Amino acid sequence: MKIDDALSLIREIPDYPKPGIRFQDITPLLAHGEAFIAITEKFATFADSSTLVAGIEARGFIFASAVANQLRSGFVPIRKAGKLPHLTISESYGLEYGDDTLELHIDAVAPGAKVLLIDDVLATGGTAAAAVSLVEMCSAEVVGLGVVMTLEFLSGREKLQNIQIHSLRSITS
Ligand code: AMP
């Protein structure tokens, strides 16, 4: 399936989770096997088996674990505060709707490792920037950020100036 046909399955839910937010609902895409694999195969071209694939909770996990499997490489979860059982490092950030903290297991990413970060939506960039910080705190390298969509009007790219962003769709307004 073509990437654009897969992306066309994403639906916009107005005023969710609060008024003014146009939520990008990826669940119809995930429910379509050919669409899901088209997206994850595309992300897999941005890395190889020497690269860890890190997913950002929660929707990033869905794509990142599939990509890691295709590459036969490892998957690392970057989670919201309090969810990881072992010692963590953490980074706080503001997002389009609220504030949050991301955490990474202290031993999940070795110094010098190469990491492909994956999430569904790049909005203000706070979430992805916090994830980048966590990887860099481990003295590892973010080789790219794969996102299904970028909400360009929220200027998230400005917070990620040194990061190679692989965005499959730009939403400009
Ligand atoms: P931000 O930190 O502002 O770039 O927000 C990105 C994070 O929030 C991602 O993990 C997305 O899953 C989620 N997110 C932000 N805005 C939206 C949106 N309009 N639709 C779906 N998810 C969103």
Side-chain angles (χ1 to χ4, degrees):
M1 186 180 227
K2 290 192 180 125
I3 294 287
D4 282 345
D5 292 336
L7 294 171
S8 71
L9 296 173
I10 296 167
R11 65 186 165 195
E12 193 169 273
I13 310 288
D15 301 319
Y16 181 88
K18 64 181 200 183
I21 303 295
R22 288 179 290 149
F23 191 86
Q24 304 299 316
D25 179 17
I26 57 165
T27 60
L29 184 158
L30 297 174
H32 192 296
E34 293 300 326
F36 189 15
I37 203 162
I39 299 298
T40 55
E41 281 181 347
K42 184 70 181 172
F43 280 146
T45 65
F46 305 134
D48 58 39
S49 60
S50 71
T51 310
L52 280 176
V53 184
I56 302 174
E57 185 168 359
R59 290 177 294 279
F61 290 174
I62 301 166
F63 295 103
S65 58
V67 172
N69 237 241
Q70 281 171 24
L71 292 170
R72 307 189 78 78
S73 77
F75 165 78
V76 172
I78 296 180
R79 297 209 64 177
K80 304 283 170 60
K83 302 281 191 180
L84 288 168
H86 184 51
L87 292 174
T88 59
I89 52 174
S90 64
E91 181 79 6
S92 295
Y93 61 100
L95 80 173
E96 194 186 358
Y97 40 87
D99 290 319
D100 231 326
T101 299
L102 287 182
E103 294 184 341
L104 176 64
H105 270 154
I106 199 160
D107 56 358
V109 177
K114 293 187 289 176
V115 179
L116 175 68
L117 286 173
I118 301 222
D119 204 357
D120 62 338
V121 174
L122 177 62
T124 66
T127 307
V132 169
S133 296
L134 289 170
V135 171
E136 291 180 346
M137 277 182 222
C138 299
S139 303
E141 181 195 357
V142 175
V143 296
L145 166 68
V147 290
V148 181
M149 279 163 293
T150 300
L151 309 183
E152 302 289 353
F153 49 94
L154 294 172
S155 305
R157 291 176 192 269
E158 288 173 13
K159 292 197 180 78
L160 298 158
Q161 303 233 349
N162 300 319
I163 302 298
Q164 189 169 12
I165 299 172
H166 305 285
S167 176
L168 306 184
R169 171 182 266 185
S170 284
I171 298 177
T172 52
S173 61

